[in-house]
Amino acid sequence: MKFSDLSLPAQVLQGIHQAGFNACTPIQAQTLPLSLSGKDVAGQAQTGTGKTAAFLITLFTKLLASPSAAADGSLPRPRALILAPTRELVVQIEKDAQLLGSHCGFNIQAIYGGIDYMKQKNALKDGADIVIGTPGRLIDYLKQKVYSLKHIEMLVIDEADRMFDMGFIPDLRYILRRLPPFDQRQNLMFSATLNQRVMELSYEFMNVPQKVSVTPEKMTAERVEQVLYHVSNKEKFPLLLGLLRREGMARTMLFVNTKREAERLQDRLNANEFPCRVISGDVDQRKRMNILEQFKRGELAILIATDVASRGLHIDGVSHVINYDLPQDAEDYVHRIGRTARAGAEGKAISLADEDGAFYIEAIEEYIRHKVAVEWAEDDLFIHDYKRPKHRPAPVASTKQPRGQRPKAKDQKGAPRKAAAAPPEGEKKKRRPRRKKPGGSVATREENVKTD
């Protein structure tokens, strides 16, 4: 199916043409006829298959078909709300929305934490047609009555399963209960996985949603070559260096499970002339966006990330994904390796299974419904003569001096205090009288108990 076969407004078709799209992907071909007819849709498909474009095209078409709520000259009120679990995904959706909706004339505003608090607040006050945001910052402004959700015509929830994983369900319900009734708005939900918990949420807040699942025999993208190496924890880094030198990885994403391991790996790679940077949940938002832009422009060859970057990010030309640590959640494996082989391209996913990671292999293979090919590294692939990074500066030592080296105490005049005089010979040192416990003797306490 081609986009020109659908009854789309000219402004939307111009944006699609400008984005370079021609034919629909499977998820777009199955959901667009339903959503464009006004039905609620819960869509499931692999990451990188065009879910974002599917709901944006529907959203622009619906808003163009109805007159603006601000036709009387008042400030535009939010007519559409798009919810996403992470800041990076919000930024990505806004970028796609600005491109696909460049000829529609809508005011699109992204709302997310960690950056431009007053700027985003003033932008909402000035009016926005479409709001894209994370639940936390949206609720913050909502409680301040910066904007209202009473005029929302369309709701989109992206990566709904991730909302559950990140504990956003109470916040999500707080927002959804302040929208118009579900039968007075159109609702779309998209995710790579639609489990039972997500479907219960859809039945609670959607109007008889049509479930569309585009899931091939393999949960992972077909053009991703997957390889697994069994290696001890001590040999993971020597093997990683050998793979980086042999594969010639132009643009690589390295995934780890913890921020501490990410920083340690960054120091070791930089020391061995593999420039890289880290993005994790507690990195400043401006810094995270700058790092991602460097990686997208090709100025940075290696990006180390925790699972905060495994969902929703579309970065062209990622040739390799390496699971330096295997994820504990099988779904995260699918999203991690989905960063490569996007939009029909080819890619390679390499996983290193150490003593701990080996326990997760069975669950991953059961989830993706196939075995991951195992390769055994030859001895010459391990690089043992690598450079050790300089140790990070230790915390400032305490200025407190050891007991034997402390200066003697001084009196008010500055002279050293004299030690207490020893008692005369033959005379015992008087001891301080022992303090009695309250309540008297045992006998007295027993009498009190009997009296009571």
Side-chain angles (χ1 to χ4, degrees):
M1 180 186 293
K2 293 185 177 181
F3 290 106
S4 56
D5 297 333
L6 300 168
S7 300
L8 299 175
Q11 302 96 312
V12 177
L13 286 173
Q14 283 181 286
I16 293 172
H17 178 73
Q18 187 172 331
F21 300 153
N22 184 22
C24 297
T25 63
I27 186 64
Q28 293 167 353
Q30 292 197 34
T31 58
L32 282 173
L34 295 172
S35 60
L36 290 173
S37 65
K39 295 181 180 179
D40 287 10
V41 175
Q44 174 186 3
Q46 296 172 346
T47 181
T49 54
K51 299 188 296 293
T52 304
F55 65 69
L56 287 176
I57 290 171
T58 302
L59 188 152
F60 293 142
T61 302
K62 180 178 179 63
L63 296 189
L64 287 171
S66 59
S68 172
D72 57 355
S74 62
L75 294 175
R77 295 167 293 193
R79 302 175 60 196
L81 177 65
I82 303 175
L83 297 172
T86 65
R87 303 166 185 175
E88 285 76 16
L89 186 52
V90 168
V91 173
Q92 185 65 51
I93 294 173
E94 183 202 20
K95 183 178 179 181
D96 293 341
Q98 296 288 1
L99 178 60
L100 288 171
S102 56
H103 300 279
C104 297
F106 295 124
N107 187 349
I108 303 169
Q109 180 61 44
I111 304 295
Y112 53 95
I115 189 172
D116 296 332
Y117 185 90
M118 291 305 301
K119 183 178 179 181
Q120 292 180 3
K121 182 177 181 179
N122 292 332
L124 276 178
K125 283 184 176 180
D126 294 341
D129 297 297
I130 302 168
V131 174
I132 309 165
T134 53
R137 181 62 68 89
L138 286 171
I139 291 176
D140 190 359
Y141 293 141
L142 194 59
K143 289 181 177 179
Q144 297 180 46
K145 299 183 179 180
V146 176
Y147 69 108
S148 172
L149 295 174
K150 295 179 180 180
H151 303 279
I152 295 296
E153 303 170 34
M154 176 172 282
L155 168 71
V156 178
I157 302 176
D158 197 15
E159 299 288 1
D161 56 342
R162 193 63 167 172
M163 294 280 192
F164 274 99
D165 297 340
M166 297 179 70
F168 278 129
I169 294 305
D171 291 344
L172 195 59
R173 285 195 164 98
Y174 181 90
I175 293 174
L176 297 181
R177 286 167 181 159
R178 282 151 182 80
L179 297 174
F182 61 84
D183 56 347
Q184 297 180 19
R185 64 175 193 263
Q186 187 175 3
N187 308 279
L188 304 179
M189 180 184 291
F190 286 85
S191 180
T193 54
L194 286 178
N195 52 36
Q196 185 61 33
R197 295 183 304 171
V198 176
M199 291 310 300
E200 288 176 359
L201 182 72
S202 69
Y203 295 140
E204 182 179 356
F205 292 102
M206 299 175 71
N207 186 22
V208 191
Q210 300 287 320
K211 184 177 180 180
V212 177
S213 180
V214 183
T215 307
E217 293 183 2
K218 290 185 177 182
M219 291 288 292
T220 55
E222 296 181 0
R223 292 179 177 269
V224 179
E225 178 188 354
Q226 300 175 59
V227 177
L228 176 69
Y229 288 94
H230 287 276
V231 61
S232 68
N233 186 271
K234 293 182 179 180
E235 292 184 326
K236 279 173 72 174
F237 186 72
L239 177 58
L240 175 64
L241 284 182
L243 291 170
L244 289 173
R245 293 179 182 179
R246 186 188 73 176
E247 298 278 340
M249 305 177 185
R251 189 174 295 174
T252 304
M253 293 191 73
L254 266 166
F255 284 101
V256 294
N257 291 341
T258 64
K259 175 202 169 191
R260 182 177 180 181
E261 184 61 37
E263 292 176 343
R264 182 168 174 263
L265 191 57
Q266 178 187 29
D267 292 341
R268 299 174 84 181
L269 286 174
N270 284 328
N272 288 274
E273 300 178 355
F274 284 99
C276 59
R277 298 189 72 178
V278 171
I279 61 170
S280 59
D282 56 353
V283 174
D284 179 74
Q285 185 62 29
R286 291 182 185 273
K287 187 176 180 181
R288 279 162 66 174
M289 299 310 302
N290 290 336
I291 293 172
L292 284 173
E293 286 302 318
Q294 289 180 12
F295 188 64
K296 289 179 180 180
R297 293 195 299 262
E299 300 171 4
L300 185 67
I302 300 174
L303 180 66
I304 304 173
T306 55
D307 283 311
V308 71
S310 67
R311 298 255 185 160
L313 295 182
H314 178 70
I315 302 174
D316 294 325
V318 176
S319 60
H320 292 75
V321 167
I322 299 179
N323 289 306
Y324 191 76
D325 296 329
L326 274 176
Q328 299 176 8
D329 189 341
E331 291 184 14
D332 288 332
Y333 176 83
V334 175
H335 292 289
R336 285 183 180 187
I337 70 173
R339 299 313 100 203
T340 186
R342 298 179 70 85
E346 295 182 353
K348 189 171 184 178
I350 301 173
S351 299
L352 307 182
D354 58 9
E355 298 87 345
D356 296 325
F359 290 102
Y360 310 132
I361 297 175
E362 183 179 355
I364 290 173
E365 291 180 336
E366 182 179 352
Y367 183 75
I368 64 177
R369 304 172 191 167
H370 68 88
K371 294 283 186 180
V372 180
V374 176
E375 290 190 8
W376 300 97
E378 300 293 336
D379 292 340
D380 58 355
L381 189 56
F382 294 86
I383 308 297
H384 292 285
D385 58 341
Y386 59 87
K387 298 177 183 177
R388 269 65 176 177
K390 295 180 180 179
H391 291 290
R392 291 176 179 257
V396 179
S398 173
T399 57
K400 190 175 181 179
Q401 296 180 348
R403 182 176 296 274
Q405 300 178 11
R406 293 181 190 173
K408 294 182 178 180
K410 299 181 180 181
D411 58 16
Q412 295 180 352
K413 298 181 179 180
R417 290 182 182 174
K418 296 180 180 181
E425 189 175 353
E427 185 178 336
K428 291 185 178 181
K429 184 178 179 181
K430 293 182 179 180
R431 299 185 66 177
R432 179 182 295 178
R434 190 170 183 178
R435 190 175 181 182
K436 293 183 179 181
K437 294 183 179 179
S441 64
V442 175
T444 306
R445 288 199 298 270
E446 290 178 353
E447 292 177 3
N448 292 338
V449 170
K450 291 178 181 178
T451 304
D452 294 340

